[in-house]
Every structure is written in C-alpha cells, then in structure tokens.
C-alpha cells in the first residue's frame, strides 16, 4: 500500500500509519517541534496543482515521513471550502496540516489552521510556489521530509481581507487582471503563461480611480495597481514588494500611479531586478490596515485567486500562523 490509499475521511482520502494509531496520534508534536518527536500529518493535496502532478509529487515525501515513524493521512481536496474545513478539523486534532499544492491551497489551508490555532507546513507542488520560495521551503523530497520531521513552528503574520486569510499578498489592478487571465488558461505552460498574461492585461487596461483608507486616512489615487503585501512575492518568482517581510507585524502597501502603457511596461521590466520601486509613479509604505475601493469592478486577488470583491478591507494579524519553515528564513 502506498502512503496515501485509504483514509479516515471516507472515499478519496488516504492514510498510512507509522508509529501512530490514528487521528490524534502524535498530537502535540505539531506544537513542541522537538527533533525526532512522533508527528501526525494531514496532507491536503490539490489534484490539479502542478498540472495534475501534486499527488505523485507527495508520495516519496509521505513515504519518508512514514519510514521515520510519523503518521500520515493524505487527502485530495475538492475545492476551497473543502480545503479550509479539512485543515481546520485536522489542526484541531493536533495534526500538522501540509498544503501539497500551490499558493492558493496554502492560502486555504492556512485559513483553517489559523482558525484552529494549529501548525501548517508547505509541500510546494504548484506552478508558482511563491510563498514557499520566499520562506526557503525545499522542494526535493528528502530535504522537505527532514524539514517536516525536525523543524519547530515559526509564528508568521497573515493578512486578512474581507474575512479571507492571506499568507502572501492582496492585489487589485493590472496584476489581478493578469491573474484572471492565468486562471482562465491553465492549459498553457506555467512560466510562459505568467509572462504573457501581464502583456495581454495591459493591452485592454485603463487606469482606475481608487479610494483608499490607509490606517484611517482617506486617499484617492488614479493608477494601475494597489498591492497590500505580507510576503511580497508572486508572479512566478518575482519580488513585487521587496521590502515585505512576513513576520514584522506590518503590511507593505505598494501603489502604481497613472501613466501611459509604455510606463507600465517599463515598471514590469524593472520588477525583475527590483528597481521598479524607485520609479516616480511607485510608492511603498508600511501600514496595518487598508480598505480598497474603485470606480469600477476590478478583480481582488489573494495569493493567485479571486476570492472576494471590492470594497476590500485588509488588516494585519501578527504572528497568527504557526508554520514549519527552515531555520533563519
């Protein structure tokens, strides 16, 4: 039997017991983080992540965890609500919840884990894996299994937007239009799609009149993008907001003001080396709360998906997410 064939949550779920004896076995291991302590993991696997390879990617990791004496339950998720509910339930049982997928699944699993005060781990099996990269989470099976078995939880900040937990970033504007294009064209190769989508978004774009309430102060901005960043990384490996740090108790607000399309193209080209933040139309500041509204409907994207609408109220929740990350990340 593989480490993920049958399980405690009915058809389609999976389990493989190591030294544990079922749900709750190893409870407390997620909190103490002691090296060698028996741990129980519930892996939530997004079956469409990585072009449908996430389940296969997880198998050698799960095998190493089981061989080390851990208990591993592996479950295919069916959507956002399912992932949030399963994460919350598993975390409440004392299991370490492993998000096996991309940034969207990490977001959904984090929401459930935060609600239960549990521990999250990431197995980067998506196309972008931007939060995992920002945190230094390894993708190779042996290194990832070692991290899951030995690492102590680290308290990370999250943003909350209209009740949705965002470990990474919230963005409204050209970036969110590009994300909509990406999600509508999943059949294309990931890196190519992430490079073509912004170009297509720019071709049909016109500036938005935003109304922002920043830490209680109302502002109006005509511009192209508003980003509220916790990790600062998205877009398939780009550091869009380089100053953002996910454990400093603050959010970073980046805005891109109005200008011709060629200016937007120059901004995007400069993102690759981080000098885009020096452009005159760009502002960056540290904030704790931001409410975003606009003069027309614009997608609100949270870590790769449209999960809410304008107006979007974003707040910081310092240290709300306990996560297994490499030491010093």
């Amino acid at each position: 039997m593989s480490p993920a064939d049958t399980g405690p949550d009915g058809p389609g779920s999976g389990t493989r017991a190591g030294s544990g004896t079922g749900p709750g076995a190893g409870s407390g291991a997620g909190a103490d983080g002691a090296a060698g302590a028996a741990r129980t993991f519930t892996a939530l696997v997004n079956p469409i992540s990585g072009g449908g390879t996430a389940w296969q990617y997880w198998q050698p990791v799960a095998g190493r965890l089981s061989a080390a004496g851990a208990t591993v339950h592996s479950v295919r998720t069916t959507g956002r609500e399912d992932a949030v509910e399963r994460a919350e339930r598993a975390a409440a049982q004392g299991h370490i919840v492993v998000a096996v997928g991309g940034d969207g699944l990490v977001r959904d699993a984090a929401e459930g884990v935060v609600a239960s005060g549990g521990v999250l781990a990431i197995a980067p099996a998506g196309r972008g894996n931007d939060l995992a990269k920002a945190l230094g989470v390894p993708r190779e099976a042996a290194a990832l299994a070692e991290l899951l078995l030995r690492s102590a939880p680290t308290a990370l900040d999250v943003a909350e937007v209209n009740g949705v937990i965002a470990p990474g970033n919230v963005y409204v504007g050209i970036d969110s239009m590009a994300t909509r294009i990406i999600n509508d064209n999943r059949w294309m190769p990931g890196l190519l799609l992430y490079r073509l989508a912004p170009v297509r978004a720019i071709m049909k774009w016109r500036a938005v009149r935003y109304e922002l309430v920043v830490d209680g102060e109302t502002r109006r901005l005509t511009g192209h993008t508003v980003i509220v960043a916790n990790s600062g990384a998205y877009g398939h490996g780009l550091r869009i907001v380089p100053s953002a740090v996910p454990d400093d108790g603050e959010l970073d607000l980046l805005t891109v003001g109005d200008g011709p399309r060629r200016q937007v193209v120059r901004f995007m080209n400069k993102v690759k080396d981080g000098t885009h933040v020096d452009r005159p139309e760009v502002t960056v500041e540290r904030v704790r709360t931001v409410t975003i509204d606009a003069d027309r409907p614009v997608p609100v994207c949270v870590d790769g998906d449209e999960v809410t609408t304008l107006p979007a109220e974003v707040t910081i929740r310092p240290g709300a997410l306990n996560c297994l990350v490499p030491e010093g990340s």
Side-chain angles (χ1 to χ4, degrees), residues 48 50 56 77 99 108 123 133 146 149 173 188 210 213 244 249 290 301:
I48 69 170
Q56 180 181 358
T77 59
D108 298 341
K133 291 174 184 175
E146 184 68 13
L149 289 166
M188 292 182 64
Y210 294 99
V213 181
V290 184
C301 285

Side-chain angles (χ1 to χ4, degrees), residues 188-210:
M188 292 182 64
L191 184 57
L192 176 63
L193 181 57
Y194 275 82
R195 295 298 174 258
L196 291 179
V199 176
R200 184 175 172 188
I202 290 171
M203 292 174 61
K204 298 182 178 182
W205 181 256
R206 59 184 175 86
V208 175
R209 289 196 296 271
Y210 294 99

Side-chain angles (χ1 to χ4, degrees), residues 3-17:
D5 288 329
T6 60
D9 291 312
S13 66
T15 190
R16 168 65 178 267

Side-chain angles (χ1 to χ4, degrees), residues 110-294:
E111 185 163 323
V113 168
V114 167
S116 287
V119 177
L120 177 73
I122 303 171
R127 292 179 300 177
N129 304 315
D130 288 304
L131 184 60
K133 291 174 184 175
L135 296 173
V137 175
R139 196 174 191 280
E140 191 271 327
L144 179 58
E146 184 68 13
L147 173 69
L148 298 183
L149 289 166
R150 307 294 179 186
S151 179
T154 296
L156 301 177
D157 305 335
V158 295
E160 182 172 339
V161 50
N162 293 354
V164 175
I165 294 297
N169 311 280
V170 179
Y171 39 102
V172 182
I174 286 183
D175 289 6
S176 61
M177 289 299 298
T179 295
R180 177 179 284 179
I181 293 168
I182 289 168
N183 290 338
D184 287 343
N185 294 275
R186 291 183 178 274
W187 56 271
M188 292 182 64
L191 184 57
L192 176 63
L193 181 57
Y194 275 82
R195 295 298 174 258
L196 291 179
V199 176
R200 184 175 172 188
I202 290 171
M203 292 174 61
K204 298 182 178 182
W205 181 256
R206 59 184 175 86
V208 175
R209 289 196 296 271
Y210 294 99
E211 181 174 284
L212 308 177
V213 181
V214 181
D215 290 337
E217 176 189 346
T218 300
R219 308 176 187 176
R220 288 173 177 81
L221 165 74
T222 299
H224 299 298
T225 283
V226 174
I227 303 165
V228 186
N230 186 46
S231 75
Y234 63 98
H236 210 284
L238 298 175
R239 290 288 298 172
I240 307 292
V241 189
S243 59
V245 179
D247 62 356
D248 63 353
E250 294 182 299
L251 298 168
D252 286 50
L253 172 65
L254 184 149
T255 64
V256 181
D258 195 10
R261 288 180 182 173
R262 64 179 180 275
Q263 178 176 293
V264 180
V265 173
R266 290 182 186 134
F267 167 86
M268 291 185 171
N269 287 335
K270 292 290 187 180
V271 167
K272 298 171 186 177
D273 61 15
T275 59
H276 61 292
V277 296
D278 299 325
R279 293 187 59 81
E281 71 272 20
V282 176
T283 67
V284 183
E285 62 184 297
R286 299 286 178 87
V287 303
R288 293 186 64 84
T289 66
V290 184
T291 299
I292 308 166
D293 207 349

